[in-house]
Amino acid sequence: MKYLLCVLFVFTLSCNWVKTKEERIIDYIGNYLNIPIKQGNLFLILPTRDTCNTCLIATREFLIKKDGIHKNIYLIYIGNSKKELQFLSEGLSEKYNVIFDTKNAGVIKGVVRHYAVLIDISKSQTTTFEFSTSTNWDKMKEKVNTLINTKQQP
Amino acid sequence: MTAKCLRFLMVFVLVFLSCAEESKVGKKEYTRKLTVKKNVKIPIDGDVHYKSWQIHIKDKGDTTYLVRKNYFKNQIIEYNWNTGKKVRTLTFKRKGPNKVKKFDSAGFIEIADSIYAIATGRSRLYIVKNDSVLLKNNYDDTGKGWGLIMNGFNKNLPVKVGDELFFFRNPPFDNLNPSQYYSSYLLVKYNVNTNSLQECSVKYPDAYKPDECWCFPQLRQSFTLNNKGELIFSFPIDSYLYRYVIEKDTLIKINKPLQSGFNAEFTPSECKELSPEKYHYSLKKSAVYEAIKYDPYRNLYYRIVLLPPDELTKKNAKQKDFYIAVMTLDADFNIIAEDMLPYNTYDYDDFFVTKEGFWLSRNNPNNPDFDENFMSFDLFTLTEK
């Protein structure tokens, strides 16, 4: 019995260990947030605690102005304060699917830590991009811009 | 074998716990201590943030007002502290001729009834009456808005002495070479009559060595105005306090060692751009003399000291809170108490002093009682042990 428990324990650990970052993100989105993972969906995950607020506000301003959106885009804001998440995403729900993780679960689960993460679920392949909102803001803007405007392959 | 292992494990855990406990116990015993006298909880509206980085206290007769920045809406909100009711809201515009740009980190101070001076992180100074901009000056010579970064937080609230307003100044971000950074001026004064702005002779003390780098929160000075009209400065990595004599435009070291009794150790970070994990780890592994606050009603100073959390790793550094200790000093800068506060309970950014004593916010998201729909403050007073 003791050995069986050990084996089970090691097995559970190894199962978690072999999960890639991408799989953990997909698991968090699909199983924790219950959002369907479909081709053509684009998820931008934004941790908000102890990050650059100015960058998050700039992200909001940039996304509000965005036109020609060809994808189903989910913006996942992670933090502890619903009010704060509402403030940071004000006006975005008209164009995007705005989701709040007010239990900071994405960070606690280690899905994201400091960086904003962009995950593109496409037919050919799923790609993940990580950005530091404080230092790589321009890079993130550029990537979001390209992905949002990319037409989905039939 | 199992029993032996268990015994060994128990001994190890006990030894570990006692060591961990020891690091948070002050070496020195004082006869007085800061204790929580009461808690006040005020409900706040949906568009008001639970936290305020800037709170001014205004006494009018028997009534105390809390003049508080609400960064969600570019607002200054005044609460009657006696009744807990909101009495006034000033909203600054984000667009048009009356816009106030970068209000979120700006320092503000009331200079006459409903007239405020606002100094911003984009090197601008506004004079506003209610929500109208009466005057706007731009002090930037870099083209990036970094020429004269002025901010205001509870740890360095703007102050008014006669016709002069004193604002916290951040060195320009594009000059991160430590020796040049440390030679920047850290205080500016604005004269309301002559409409002129001047840098004051306040620079980093010698504790900041040219070959050592520190994270931004370890570089942000705190100051407070005492009843002698002096600004008392505290620097995050230096146990000494400094007195800025306004008439002489001089910063003088107060020759009293004021080390925290809680094993406060200071370790610089690597002098290169750090990954966020390394940055947070580097920040949390070192103690910080976070803030100094004068209590004009009791002629005392409160100094907030932050201490590294237990079991700190690069992975958990962002989530882990510092331990918070509060040192109480008398008017002659002698330590009369130093107390460790309960962990994961308070927000060290959000504090103020009233006739009743020193108030510290309980709105810490790691606190199980955290509720963002209330401002919750504990009142601390000095009692005999």
Side-chain angles (χ1 to χ4, degrees):
Chain A
M1 184 62 185
K2 205 162 60 180
Y3 293 111
L4 187 68
L5 280 174
C6 278
V7 168
L8 272 173
F9 178 68
V10 171
F11 179 71
T12 316
L13 279 181
S14 63
C15 282
N16 283 326
W17 279 339
V18 293
K19 267 190 183 171
T20 63
K21 173 113 186 172
E22 200 166 272
E23 284 167 340
R24 277 189 283 134
I25 295 171
I26 289 174
D27 184 51
Y28 164 71
I29 295 171
N31 296 328
Y32 181 78
L33 298 173
N34 289 321
I35 305 169
I37 310 284
K38 286 182 189 166
Q39 278 176 34
N41 283 1
L42 192 97
F43 300 93
L44 181 59
I45 308 174
L46 296 150
T48 62
R49 260 189 86 185
D50 296 326
T51 51
C52 166
N53 258 351
T54 311
C55 306
L56 288 165
I57 292 167
T59 306
R60 178 185 72 192
E61 300 308 316
F62 157 71
L63 289 169
I64 279 178
K65 288 178 194 154
K66 204 78 211 88
D67 284 323
I69 301 165
H70 293 288
K71 293 212 172 191
N72 196 16
I73 299 162
Y74 287 85
L75 305 174
I76 301 167
Y77 282 86
I78 305 175
N80 287 89
S81 158
K82 192 179 173 190
K83 282 183 185 181
E84 186 146 10
L85 302 188
Q86 277 169 340
F87 166 70
L88 293 169
S89 63
E90 206 174 354
L92 290 172
S93 56
E94 287 169 21
K95 289 185 182 175
Y96 309 92
N97 303 298
V98 179
I99 310 288
F100 295 155
D101 169 2
T102 54
K103 290 193 168 68
N104 211 25
V107 174
I108 293 166
K109 286 169 180 284
V111 173
V112 284
R113 208 168 283 131
H114 309 277
Y115 300 109
V117 171
L118 183 69
I119 179 156
D120 182 26
I121 317 282
S122 72
K123 199 176 181 181
S124 50
Q125 67 176 115
T126 295
T127 30
T128 309
F129 306 92
E130 286 188 79
F131 308 98
S132 154
T133 45
S134 53
T135 56
N136 280 354
W137 151 244
D138 283 333
K139 207 170 151 190
M140 174 172 135
K141 203 161 85 168
E142 192 188 309
K143 187 54 78 179
V144 172
N145 215 10
T146 316
L147 289 173
I148 283 179
N149 290 351
T150 307
K151 281 193 178 158
Q152 214 184 318
Q153 296 298 311
Chain B
M1 178 65 184
T2 319
K4 224 177 184 179
C5 281
L6 211 63
R7 269 205 301 275
F8 174 76
L9 195 70
M10 276 173 71
V11 169
F12 176 77
V13 167
L14 280 172
V15 169
F16 177 77
L17 283 178
S18 64
C19 289
E21 191 61 28
E22 197 185 22
S23 72
K24 303 294 174 245
V25 173
K27 282 176 195 158
K28 212 166 173 183
E29 279 295 310
Y30 298 99
T31 55
R32 281 173 281 180
K33 64 178 292 191
L34 272 184
T35 47
V36 177
K37 195 175 174 188
K38 66 174 178 181
N39 171 263
V40 167
K41 256 179 140 176
I42 296 178
I44 46 176
D45 302 341
D47 55 3
V48 177
H49 199 288
Y50 62 85
K51 173 170 176 157
S52 184
W53 280 267
Q54 210 176 147
I55 300 171
H56 290 270
I57 295 299
K58 206 162 73 173
D59 289 319
K60 271 189 185 170
D62 289 337
T63 311
T64 297
Y65 294 91
L66 210 64
V67 186
R68 195 177 180 269
K69 184 197 277 184
N70 175 28
Y71 101 102
F72 275 175
K73 295 280 172 187
N74 261 24
Q75 287 172 332
I76 294 173
I77 304 179
E78 214 168 291
Y79 287 86
N80 179 326
W81 184 243
N82 302 41
T83 61
K85 301 275 181 235
K86 188 161 83 174
V87 290
R88 196 158 69 138
T89 304
L90 290 181
T91 307
F92 305 113
K93 295 187 174 58
R94 293 182 197 272
K95 284 177 186 163
N98 283 314
K99 80 172 170 199
V100 175
K101 214 174 169 185
K102 197 83 184 121
F103 180 69
D104 55 357
S105 61
F108 77 86
I109 185 163
E110 192 169 14
I111 51 177
D113 192 30
S114 299
I115 299 180
Y116 290 87
I118 301 171
T120 77
R122 286 286 179 274
S123 310
R124 290 195 176 103
L125 191 135
Y126 300 86
I127 302 292
V128 297
K129 184 173 169 60
N130 294 320
D131 61 353
S132 304
V133 174
L134 304 178
L135 183 86
K136 184 176 91 175
N137 291 330
N138 189 348
Y139 298 101
D140 181 40
D141 53 7
T142 65
K144 295 176 184 169
W146 293 347
L148 211 66
I149 302 169
M150 295 173 282
N151 299 132
F153 303 98
N154 289 315
K155 64 186 269 186
N156 43 42
L157 282 182
V159 293
K160 184 174 182 293
V161 182
D163 293 330
E164 288 173 332
L165 312 176
F166 291 83
F167 292 98
F168 164 94
R169 191 254 173 114
N170 236 332
F173 293 144
D174 56 352
N175 185 9
L176 292 175
N177 175 307
S179 58
Q180 282 171 305
Y181 197 89
Y182 299 153
S183 61
S184 305
Y185 291 108
L186 303 170
L187 185 74
V188 289
K189 65 176 177 186
Y190 173 77
N191 189 303
V192 288
N193 285 334
T194 59
N195 186 26
S196 59
L197 191 103
Q198 248 183 288
E199 288 170 323
C200 305
S201 297
V202 175
K203 291 185 178 180
Y204 285 104
D206 294 341
Y208 289 89
K209 299 191 170 55
D211 56 343
E212 288 179 352
C213 297
W214 298 89
C215 302
F216 281 119
Q218 295 158 335
L219 293 164
R220 288 190 188 130
Q221 66 279 14
S222 170
F223 60 83
T224 187
L225 178 68
N226 68 12
N227 64 355
K228 292 178 187 161
E230 301 163 330
L231 293 176
I232 303 301
F233 274 82
S234 172
F235 293 87
I237 63 156
D238 193 348
S239 65
Y240 286 91
L241 292 174
Y242 296 80
R243 177 188 279 129
Y244 176 68
V245 184
I246 294 171
E247 313 82 62
K248 293 181 181 167
D249 187 24
T250 314
L251 188 71
I252 301 163
K253 185 176 188 173
I254 297 168
N255 218 359
K256 287 194 178 176
L258 297 167
Q259 287 101 335
S260 165
F262 291 105
N263 295 339
E265 285 174 8
F266 300 86
T267 324
S269 65
E270 290 173 70
C271 284
K272 60 176 189 183
E273 197 175 330
L274 301 177
S275 68
E277 282 86 0
K278 274 193 177 171
Y279 177 84
H280 283 270
Y281 180 73
S282 191
L283 172 65
K284 299 268 172 79
K285 76 175 178 188
S286 185
V288 182
Y289 290 108
E290 172 64 17
I292 183 86
K293 184 76 183 169
Y294 180 64
D295 179 343
Y297 309 96
R298 275 155 286 269
N299 205 9
L300 297 173
Y301 297 89
Y302 306 105
R303 195 182 202 191
I304 298 177
V305 187
L306 306 179
L307 297 145
D310 296 327
E311 294 160 41
L312 185 72
T313 64
K314 288 191 182 78
K315 273 193 169 181
N316 68 19
K318 189 182 167 187
Q319 296 304 308
K320 285 247 176 188
D321 274 354
F322 278 110
Y323 277 95
I324 304 172
V326 181
M327 197 187 265
T328 309
L329 311 169
D330 66 14
D332 298 319
F333 305 103
N334 299 305
I335 305 173
I336 53 172
E338 188 178 10
D339 302 282
M340 179 67 72
L341 307 186
Y343 191 56
N344 275 349
T345 307
Y346 294 100
D347 179 349
Y348 59 81
D349 285 326
D350 202 351
F351 59 87
F352 55 92
V353 169
T354 67
K355 284 173 197 164
E356 290 178 279
F358 174 68
W359 296 84
L360 188 60
S361 168
R362 288 181 65 91
N363 284 103
N364 176 339
N366 290 335
N367 183 339
D369 299 336
F370 172 68
D371 186 342
E372 61 174 332
N373 298 310
F374 290 88
M375 279 193 264
S376 176
F377 290 97
D378 273 355
L379 170 66
F380 289 86
T381 54
L382 211 53
T383 53
E384 294 295 326
K385 266 186 183 167

